[in-house]
């Protein structure tokens, strides 16, 4: 894992834990304020380096890994390498494998529209376009095929 990503996860985890630990007691005493301020300063110093361009880090991935470390619950969108280190955030799929197969089957019929396939699957047209690569430029391919058969 990249050392800057590891550092980003560490400062974000420290900040999350400090935020969780900070509290105001019944007699208005602040508990954990010093650690919260120190963690916030460390986070600000790290992100200042990002803004200055000294290094590059996927902060969304770092935040997700920090939440995972803070809560103890695995983050379902973190993709990991062979050693279990976080490497990327993978967006959730909107179609199951079965729906994807159905979409491809529906769109194999030249009379079927993208809208009709989306309605049949209960998703939006945008989901069809983003999840089924064959849907992109489909009408242009159908027109070209129709013109070739006419000649």
């Amino acid at each position: 894992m990249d050392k800057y990503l590891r550092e980003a996860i560490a400062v974000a985890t420290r900040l999350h834990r400090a935020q969780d630990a900070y509290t105001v007691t019944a007699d208005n005493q602040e508990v954990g304020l010093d650690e919260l301020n120190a963690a916030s300063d460390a986070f600000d110093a790290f992100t200042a380096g990002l803004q200055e361009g000294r290094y590059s880090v996927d902060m969304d991935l770092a935040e997700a890994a920090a939440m995972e470390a803070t809560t103890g619950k695995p983050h379902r969108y973190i993709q990991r390498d062979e050693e279990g280190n976080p490497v990327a955030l993978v967006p959730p799929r909107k179609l199951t494998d079965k729906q994807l197969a159905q979409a491809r089957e529906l769109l194999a019929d030249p009379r079927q529209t993208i809208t009709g396939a989306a309605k049949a699957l209960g998703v939006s047209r945008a989901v069809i376009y983003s999840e089924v690569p064959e849907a992109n430029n489909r009408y242009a391919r159908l027109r070209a095929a129709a013109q070739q058969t006419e000649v």
Side-chain angles (χ1 to χ4, degrees):
M1 177 174 22
D2 176 69
K3 82 174 194 173
Y4 295 116
L5 177 59
R6 186 172 301 137
E7 186 178 341
I9 293 169
V11 296
T13 300
R14 180 181 178 195
L15 182 59
H16 287 231
R17 288 185 174 148
Q19 289 169 334
D20 288 347
Y22 173 77
T23 188
V24 177
T25 62
D27 54 352
N28 285 334
Q29 290 200 320
E30 294 178 303
V31 176
L33 181 60
D34 292 337
E35 173 55 19
L36 179 59
N37 287 333
S40 181
D41 290 344
F43 187 81
D44 290 344
F46 182 81
T47 55
L50 285 173
Q51 292 171 349
E52 293 169 6
R54 285 186 271 153
Y55 41 83
S56 176
V57 174
D58 182 351
M59 284 305 291
D60 291 332
L61 175 59
E63 284 287 337
M67 284 303 293
E68 193 176 67
T70 304
T71 62
K73 296 178 184 174
H75 193 288
R76 63 184 180 161
Y77 302 141
I78 293 179
Q79 182 180 5
R80 300 183 182 285
D81 63 12
E82 302 82 37
E83 289 132 23
N85 297 317
V87 292
L89 283 177
V90 180
R93 294 211 36 211
K94 294 173 183 74
L95 292 178
T96 64
D97 290 337
K98 184 177 178 182
Q99 286 176 312
L100 186 58
Q102 287 175 323
R104 287 188 169 126
E105 186 178 316
L106 287 169
L107 294 175
D109 180 359
R111 296 170 297 178
Q112 180 64 263
T113 64
I114 302 288
T115 302
K119 282 183 182 178
L121 295 169
V123 298
S124 70
R125 291 173 57 241
V127 169
I128 298 292
Y129 282 113
S130 69
E131 302 258 340
V132 186
E134 303 90 89
N136 295 304
N137 298 319
R138 178 173 181 263
Y139 294 119
R141 288 192 307 273
L142 290 174
R143 263 194 308 275
Q147 288 172 352
Q148 287 179 354
T149 58
E150 289 176 2
V151 176

